[in-house]
Amino acid sequence: MLELVVIWEWLEFIVRWVHVITAIAWIGSSFYFIALDLGLRRSSQLPEGVLGEEWQVHGGGFYHVQKYQVAPPDLPQHLTWFKWESYSTWLSGFALLAILYWSGAEIYLIDRSKADLELWQAIALSGGSLLIGWVVYNTLCKSKLGESPTLLMILLFVLLVAMSWGYDQIFTGRAALLHVGAFTATVMTANVFLVIIPNQKIVVKDLREGKAPDPKFGQIGKLRSTHNNYLTLPVIFLMLSNHYPLAFASEYNWIICSLIFLTGVLIRHYFNSVHARRGHPHWTWALTAVIIIIIMWLSALKPPYETAHVQDIPIVPQETAETVEWAHVMDIVNIRCMTCHMQNPSWEGFLWAPKNVLLETKEQILYHSDKIYLQAAMSNAMPPANVTYMTQEERAMIANWYAHLKLN
């Protein structure tokens, strides 16, 4: 008979699979229509009411696409609505959030060194912040600021920076960046579900009733669609960030998160300019490279405890370093890491060591020394949420030990 933990593990895998598939579908269609819209060719020979057209070749055939300023004179009975990709991505992502971060809150969500939260409090903050963030964003868009797209984008960036900092004050670094991504994805899907699609349905209804639709509905949809366009790439980064401790477990993770939004804007600006035939602004790639280097530098800044203990390490014979430090490192690993990273983990809910990383022998510890250093000394990714209470002195000892390994 299947154990519950096995079923739960497969459920997580399947939901993640669905989430990735639907995200590919949503992002793909979004990128396609942005490129199509920007690449439309205008001509005086186009039929009345047609804004532009595009000829495309794909799958062994030719496609002739025309976009109407409002709608064609005779509205077709069948319309293809691009909405389920967005809805399915958000729903599967929300399910994954609940499976991983709510059911595993003690490991992945709650950081008691930041906020000693009860389980229900952490879940309420997690889910509630997504709703509150959307309300704030939507209120800004509906205000007079909606008439100043550039200023609105700047304020949206400020909101995202504030959310990044706020999440980091409450949750684990892993959960903080993931929640910024979830907040952004919530804004994007809510734009589709609550603004873009309803407005388009109003236009369709007016046309079928013989009324002239109000152009403002198209303008509003265009604004929200533009926001979604620029937010897509940062969301992908944030959803991947929980696999990379130098991103989420750095002391400066919220700054890294904020800078990633700038890179997303720069990269999309380049492709939008190319699609609109406004040239190739190569400066965007140069500036993106500079920001990425800054991010790498921030992630590599030595933690305070490491700076104090590692900067003046004397070069000593390897056997001396082993004699002095190996016993201490083994003790740290045995106490703080072995509950999960062993052949038969003793931590409740774990059937096997995460990522099959075993730390039961000296040889295994040596083999994974780079990972140990990155996860437990260079960053505070491990133990997750520091559930085994690794001290700063122990992290410094791991840093010293790793430095000796590299010096000898």
Side-chain angles (χ1 to χ4, degrees):
M1 186 175 180
L2 288 175
E3 295 183 64
L4 179 60
V5 68
V6 174
I7 297 174
W8 193 253
E9 187 78 8
W10 273 106
L11 178 63
E12 176 196 327
F13 189 2
I14 292 169
V15 172
R16 188 186 296 274
W17 186 29
V18 171
H19 184 54
V20 171
I21 292 170
T22 54
I24 290 172
W26 183 19
I27 294 167
S29 61
S30 173
F31 280 6
Y32 170 74
F33 278 106
I34 288 291
L36 175 64
D37 194 56
L38 292 172
L40 290 172
R41 296 178 181 272
R42 276 74 172 176
S43 171
S44 59
Q45 299 177 351
L46 292 174
E48 184 179 355
V50 174
L51 178 65
E53 67 177 357
E54 179 78 5
W55 282 90
Q56 300 177 350
V57 179
H58 182 73
F62 291 84
Y63 295 81
H64 184 204
V65 183
Q66 293 182 328
K67 179 178 179 179
Y68 287 81
Q69 182 74 44
V70 179
D74 298 314
L75 196 66
Q77 289 299 314
H78 175 72
L79 289 171
T80 300
W81 296 84
F82 289 85
K83 56 182 180 178
W84 293 110
E85 300 92 337
S86 172
Y87 303 165
S88 300
T89 300
W90 190 88
L91 288 170
S92 58
F94 186 80
L96 200 57
L97 175 68
I99 291 171
L100 280 174
Y101 288 86
W102 291 2
S103 70
E106 291 295 336
I107 294 179
Y108 298 119
L109 183 62
I110 300 172
D111 186 339
R112 301 199 182 279
S113 66
K114 296 178 180 178
D116 191 11
L117 301 172
E118 297 293 334
L119 178 61
W120 70 268
Q121 293 174 321
I123 293 175
L125 285 170
S126 172
S129 63
L130 304 182
L131 176 61
I132 292 171
W134 157 253
V135 170
V136 173
Y137 162 78
N138 192 46
T139 301
L140 290 174
C141 289
K142 288 184 174 181
S143 70
K144 287 290 185 181
L145 292 169
E147 301 173 5
S148 304
T150 301
L151 179 57
L152 183 59
M153 282 289 286
I154 293 173
L155 288 176
L156 175 56
F157 175 69
V158 172
L159 174 61
L160 291 167
V161 172
M163 295 296 289
S164 303
W165 179 84
Y167 279 131
D168 187 50
Q169 304 307 302
I170 300 173
F171 298 141
T172 65
R174 187 192 306 267
L177 263 62
L178 189 283
H179 275 75
V180 178
F183 160 73
T184 309
T186 299
V187 165
M188 295 170 67
T189 297
N191 275 339
V192 177
F193 180 65
L194 298 174
V195 179
I196 297 173
I197 294 299
N199 284 2
Q200 196 63 52
K201 286 185 175 181
I202 292 173
V203 171
V204 170
K205 181 176 180 294
D206 286 344
L207 288 168
R208 286 181 171 159
E209 293 176 354
K211 302 176 183 177
D214 191 332
K216 75 174 184 179
F217 294 115
Q219 295 168 359
I220 293 171
K222 181 68 174 177
L223 176 67
R224 302 300 182 102
S225 181
T226 300
H227 290 170
N228 284 7
N229 175 36
Y230 283 109
L231 292 173
T232 301
L233 295 182
V235 166
I236 297 173
F237 176 94
L238 293 168
M239 294 308 176
L240 294 173
S241 67
N242 63 346
H243 299 286
Y244 297 91
L246 290 181
F248 73 79
S250 164
E251 183 180 353
Y252 307 99
N253 58 2
W254 69 274
I255 300 178
I256 291 173
C257 179
S258 303
L259 292 175
I260 284 298
F261 281 101
L262 296 181
T263 65
V265 170
L266 289 169
I267 294 171
R268 288 310 303 162
H269 176 70
Y270 173 84
F271 285 105
N272 290 344
S273 298
V274 172
H275 295 318
R277 302 181 184 88
R278 294 196 300 264
H280 293 70
H282 295 296
W283 61 268
T284 57
W285 290 106
L287 189 51
T288 298
V290 170
I291 294 175
I292 293 297
I293 291 171
I294 292 173
I295 288 173
M296 295 169 66
W297 173 74
L298 283 172
S299 72
L301 285 179
K302 302 295 184 183
Y305 57 82
E306 187 175 339
T307 303
H309 290 264
V310 178
Q311 59 187 2
D312 298 315
I313 293 177
I315 299 177
V316 296
Q318 183 174 358
E319 57 272 16
T320 302
E322 289 183 355
T323 301
V324 173
E325 295 180 334
W326 262 107
H328 296 301
V329 171
M330 287 289 289
D331 285 343
I332 294 171
V333 171
N334 286 337
I335 296 171
R336 311 301 183 190
C337 311
M338 279 271 287
T339 53
C340 298
H341 292 285
M342 57 192 303
Q343 196 69 43
N344 297 298
S346 59
W347 190 271
E348 184 179 357
F350 282 68
L351 290 182
W352 45 79
K355 297 187 177 181
N356 202 33
V357 174
L358 301 176
L359 302 176
E360 296 179 278
T361 67
K362 182 176 178 180
E363 290 73 21
Q364 290 170 341
I365 293 173
L366 188 60
Y367 179 77
H368 293 294
S369 60
D370 288 346
K371 292 180 180 178
I372 293 172
Y373 172 67
L374 287 174
Q375 300 267 358
M378 194 68 181
S379 71
N380 60 358
M382 289 292 163
N386 204 23
V387 290
T388 57
Y389 304 103
M390 183 179 287
T391 67
Q392 300 290 60
E393 291 75 19
E394 289 169 338
R395 296 186 189 277
M397 193 171 294
I398 290 174
N400 281 348
W401 161 76
Y402 182 80
H404 278 128
L405 286 179
K406 296 304 177 182
L407 287 172
N408 292 278

